[in-house]
Amino acid sequence: MWDRREPERLEQRIRVERDGTVTALSGKIDFGQGLRTAFAQVVADELDVPIERVNVVLGDTDQVPFDFGTFGSHSVAQEAPLLRKAAAFARRQLIDRASTKLGVSGEKLDTDSEPLTGVIPDRVVLMPETRRKYAGRPTPHVEARDIVTGQATFVADVRLPNMARGAMVRPPARGAKLRSMDDAAARKMPGVIALVRQGDVVGVVAERDEQARAAAAAVEADWHALPVEGPTAEVPMRSDPEVDERLHGAAMRLAQTYVLPPIANAPIGPSAAVADVRADGATMYVGTHRPFGVREQVAKTVGLPEKKVRVLPQITSGTYGRNSHADAAIEAAILSKGSGRPVLLQWTREEEFAWSPSRPEAVLEISAGLDADGHIVSWRYDEHTNVHTAAGLDPGVLGVTSGRNAVPPYAGFPSRVTLHIEPTRLRTANFRSLAAAENVFAIESFMDELAALSGQDPLAFRLRHIDDERFRRVVERVAEASGWTEHSGNRRGRGIACTVYHDTYVAQVAEVEVSLSGAVRLVKVWCVVDPGQTVNPEGVRNQIEGGIQQSASWTLKEELLHRDGRVMNTGWDTYPIATFRDAPESIEVFVEGDESAPPTGVGEPGAVPTAAAIANAVYAASGARLRSVPLTRERVRKAMPA
């Protein structure tokens, strides 16, 4: 299921073009993480060519090797070593060819020979680190200029000859079945090319976008709506002996419940897709984490062999989970097949809020006991949430998705951690860090409460329970960088939070200012991250900064309101997100990777501890202990001590 790759072949990874440029190939997708730049750095180093001569092709299903998807901050860890080996193998072949042709040893790129081919051996001679010019050094994103100058092509920018526009006829609720429809009036409207129905999917294709939307609104459809709820399951994640006995015998005990609402992916640009479905094949222009998944789903939908469907991923305006789902692409493909024209389908803002998947809500119950010396002796944790992916109810999958980071990263005490999957009528699915941000909010907030209960400094309390030296180092470093022992005053306070996310160590200190009315302003954030061997430190900083800012938006502003599965806030007026005015004065990121350790990922870890760091800072500044988010003015004011 997770990997269909045959042994790696050089021609699937590296091409030397006739003009002397190098094409590197990967099935991963860059939606802001800087993968294209990191991969170019690795390949340029191993082939000893300027990085400007390396072109990285990502996700084009007609060119790249199969890849299950881009998620979990695994891309650099998975792909960089493979591309490095491939480029080193290509260098060896080129040297051998040059030696044979010239009768001497050299490193000239021989572009007149046959393409580079062959199975990449497990052991290849890599370029010595002393000769590497790019990896490990800050490098600007190779596509940055195109993005900031407006030259980059996003999905909705794609224009094909004879392309039409599409709009969907939406049911009143998720899972509704179409009983009947009257589309006579819609067919007569200006610009309408086709009314398309496939099962319960109904849409309109017209020459212009406004014509398609008007005709879709004119279709009279009779729907049979049945409540759709998610599944249930219970997964033991950890079960040490004597948890209850030690809890009952503890000198001090504490139990708290933390609540997080569902939140929207809320991409700045709503979902879009361009489909060109023909009798002999289909071409799809989409924003996706899983191009091969889109290929498979579109092929099934339109009745074509997978090899006849080409997926060309484009830059998207918002993702980290949202684009794991091919809903817009499938709808566009249905409309294109039904109309015989290439079709651009772009969802409206209201559709994006109402129909896209959201991060599940969570109720997190924690109990712990301390001994007389203030050390944790027992830990009990129950996570109540919904499914975070559509990958089924396999306990192994649920443990790393819905239960991600539910087991605390601390040592020295027995614990019992149980994941309870509970039903919901909302459509829930992948979200940045899946359940990690929720679980770490609860765990790190509770660690602060335990520290307060036992009269200990929150930093010192954490360090007492950390055995991992890399983890200890990032926690101590963030305290040092932030001046943890300094007192802010003036209604300002600092909070700390830390975790280990997919082997990436991250610790943060947030400083906030809380007004007398309860308004919270994020002032500063310090972060130390250890992602192992680092390809591009500047790329790491960019990712961590972006994750912190996005998580601050979740923490201070965002909450998806719903009633019986129907989303109530479907616009920016009722679902605010952080804007430039909400950005903190500074975000200082210290990239301190252990270069002897393998590279891990940074696409998600930066977003994980932020909510707890902010909530703990609010407590330090105002005495208001909040166990649910968002930290609105009203909630903070209500929680302030009298």
Side-chain angles (χ1 to χ4, degrees):
M1 168 185 170
W2 294 97
D3 198 342
R4 290 190 284 176
R5 279 200 295 253
E6 298 293 326
E8 290 276 328
R9 294 190 62 84
L10 182 55
E11 61 268 31
Q12 294 177 310
R13 288 295 188 174
I14 300 292
R15 289 199 310 260
V16 178
E17 311 294 357
R18 288 192 172 275
D19 62 0
T21 61
V22 177
T23 299
L25 304 161
S26 172
K28 296 299 183 186
I29 298 298
D30 191 337
F31 39 87
Q33 320 96 293
L35 297 187
R36 182 172 276 108
T37 305
F39 294 165
Q41 289 176 270
V42 167
V43 171
D45 273 341
E46 289 303 323
L47 284 171
D48 201 13
V49 298
I51 196 171
E52 295 79 14
R53 291 172 61 187
V54 178
N55 176 45
V56 180
V57 174
L58 300 176
D60 180 346
T61 55
D62 273 13
Q63 297 193 64
V64 304
F66 174 83
D67 188 274
F68 186 77
T70 305
F71 48 80
S73 297
H74 294 312
S75 296
V76 169
Q78 289 177 349
E79 291 288 279
L82 295 174
L83 284 167
R84 189 182 294 283
K85 285 202 323 182
F89 185 44
R91 173 167 46 86
R92 181 70 262 166
Q93 286 198 15
L94 291 166
I95 293 172
D96 290 345
R97 290 184 184 186
S99 299
T100 301
K101 184 174 181 178
L102 302 175
V104 295
S105 177
E107 297 191 17
K108 178 182 177 182
L109 296 187
D110 186 356
T111 60
D112 295 327
S113 300
E114 293 297 318
L116 303 175
T117 63
V119 174
I120 302 170
D122 290 333
R123 298 175 67 90
V124 294
V125 178
L126 301 178
M127 185 72 75
E129 286 193 26
T130 55
R131 289 193 58 187
R132 294 176 183 173
K133 301 175 182 177
Y134 301 105
R137 293 172 172 79
T139 304
H141 284 195
V142 296
E143 67 276 73
R145 180 175 295 275
D146 283 350
I147 292 174
V148 300
T149 59
Q151 300 301 306
T153 300
F154 290 74
V155 180
D157 295 326
V158 173
R159 295 292 181 270
L160 302 180
N162 203 34
M163 188 178 76
R165 298 300 186 96
M168 305 309 297
V169 178
R170 300 291 182 192
R174 185 166 65 96
K177 303 298 181 182
L178 183 61
R179 286 172 169 160
S180 63
M181 70 174 189
D182 182 355
D183 60 10
R187 289 182 181 275
K188 298 175 184 178
M189 296 181 71
V192 171
I193 298 167
L195 266 291
V196 181
R197 176 181 177 182
Q198 183 169 318
D200 297 310
V201 178
V202 181
V204 177
V205 179
E207 297 292 350
R208 299 203 305 268
D209 182 72
E210 70 274 15
Q211 294 171 332
R213 296 192 190 284
V219 174
E220 297 181 9
D222 181 22
W223 299 91
H224 178 50
L226 292 173
V228 177
E229 291 190 342
T232 61
E234 186 167 301
V235 180
M237 304 223 13
R238 181 166 175 171
S239 185
D240 296 330
E242 299 185 352
V243 171
D244 291 335
E245 294 84 348
R246 292 195 178 195
L247 183 61
H248 293 148
M252 293 173 278
R253 291 190 297 272
L254 183 66
Q256 297 293 4
T257 299
Y258 302 86
V259 179
L260 295 98
I263 55 179
N265 275 280
I268 298 297
S271 297
V274 173
D276 184 7
V277 179
R278 308 167 303 278
D280 62 344
T283 305
M284 304 293 303
Y285 301 83
V286 299
T288 180
H289 296 193
R290 299 185 60 229
F292 286 92
V294 172
R295 184 179 73 169
E296 178 183 8
Q297 291 178 275
V298 168
K300 288 180 179 178
T301 300
V302 300
L304 287 169
E306 281 189 44
K307 293 290 187 180
K308 294 291 186 180
V309 178
R310 183 180 187 181
V311 177
L312 291 165
Q314 307 293 306
I315 298 174
T316 64
S317 54
T319 180
Y320 284 112
R322 170 66 187 101
N323 293 117
S324 288
H325 299 269
D327 34 24
I330 290 171
E331 291 171 348
I334 290 172
L335 295 185
S336 179
K337 180 182 179 182
S339 64
R341 296 268 295 269
V343 172
L344 164 60
L345 174 71
Q346 182 163 14
W347 286 18
T348 63
R349 173 64 53 203
E350 291 75 13
E351 285 178 305
E352 188 64 46
F353 273 115
W355 295 99
S356 68
S358 59
R359 186 181 80 176
E361 53 198 316
V363 176
L364 309 159
E365 300 172 330
I366 319 181
S367 302
L370 303 175
D371 62 19
D373 192 38
H375 194 282
I376 300 173
V377 295
S378 180
W379 181 283
R380 193 166 61 196
Y381 188 90
D382 288 275
E383 177 191 359
H384 304 265
T385 189
N386 319 124
V387 289
H388 280 69
T389 74
L393 293 178
D394 179 270
V397 174
L398 289 173
V400 297
T401 56
S402 298
R404 185 170 293 180
N405 280 72
V407 177
Y410 301 103
F413 52 87
S415 63
R416 184 168 68 240
V417 179
T418 307
L419 167 64
H420 309 268
I421 299 295
E422 299 181 356
T424 177
R425 292 186 180 179
L426 280 177
R427 182 188 178 199
T428 61
N430 309 61
F431 199 92
R432 191 173 195 177
S433 84
L434 296 171
E438 298 165 292
N439 283 316
V440 172
F441 169 73
I443 291 168
E444 288 298 290
S445 295
F446 193 65
M447 288 293 287
D448 254 43
E449 295 204 56
L450 288 175
L453 175 68
S454 56
Q456 300 180 65
D457 174 77
L459 168 65
F461 182 72
R462 285 171 171 80
L463 291 174
R464 294 185 69 187
H465 296 89
I466 294 176
D467 285 347
D468 187 318
E469 286 305 314
R470 288 176 69 187
F471 192 23
R472 172 178 293 274
R473 184 169 58 82
V474 298
V475 174
E476 291 176 336
R477 279 287 296 119
V478 82
E480 177 187 349
S482 64
W484 174 257
T485 57
E486 301 171 8
H487 295 285
S488 302
N490 298 320
R491 302 199 62 80
R492 290 191 178 188
R494 292 178 180 174
I496 190 169
C498 52
T499 195
V500 183
Y501 181 89
H502 280 330
D503 297 323
T504 294
Y505 297 80
V506 58
Q508 295 177 5
V509 169
E511 181 174 307
V512 304
E513 183 178 81
V514 182
S515 72
L516 291 172
S517 67
V520 177
R521 183 172 74 91
L522 181 59
V523 181
K524 296 179 181 178
V525 181
W526 296 264
C527 179
V528 175
V529 58
D530 174 1
Q533 188 180 66
T534 303
V535 176
N536 185 0
E538 188 61 30
V540 173
R541 276 188 283 272
N542 290 340
Q543 278 298 285
I544 298 298
E545 289 171 3
I548 289 169
Q549 184 60 77
Q550 185 179 21
S551 189
S553 181
W554 306 337
T555 306
L556 298 173
K557 292 182 173 293
E558 299 183 40
E559 181 175 9
L560 195 65
L561 305 175
H562 64 100
R563 182 178 301 137
D564 295 328
R566 298 189 185 188
V567 174
M568 310 304 293
N569 42 345
T570 59
W572 297 128
D573 56 334
T574 53
Y575 189 97
I577 62 174
T579 62
F580 287 115
R581 71 180 63 184
D582 301 301
E585 294 174 5
S586 67
I587 300 176
E588 294 188 43
V589 178
F590 302 89
V591 182
E592 301 187 0
D594 182 344
E595 293 299 316
S596 66
T600 51
V602 294
E604 296 174 311
V608 175
T610 307
I614 293 174
N616 292 337
V618 168
Y619 175 75
S622 66
R625 174 64 70 185
L626 283 93
R627 303 181 182 92
S628 61
V629 294
L631 308 180
T632 62
R633 182 195 305 261
E634 294 74 23
R635 286 176 175 169
V636 174
R637 186 171 62 242
K638 185 177 179 180
M640 285 180 178

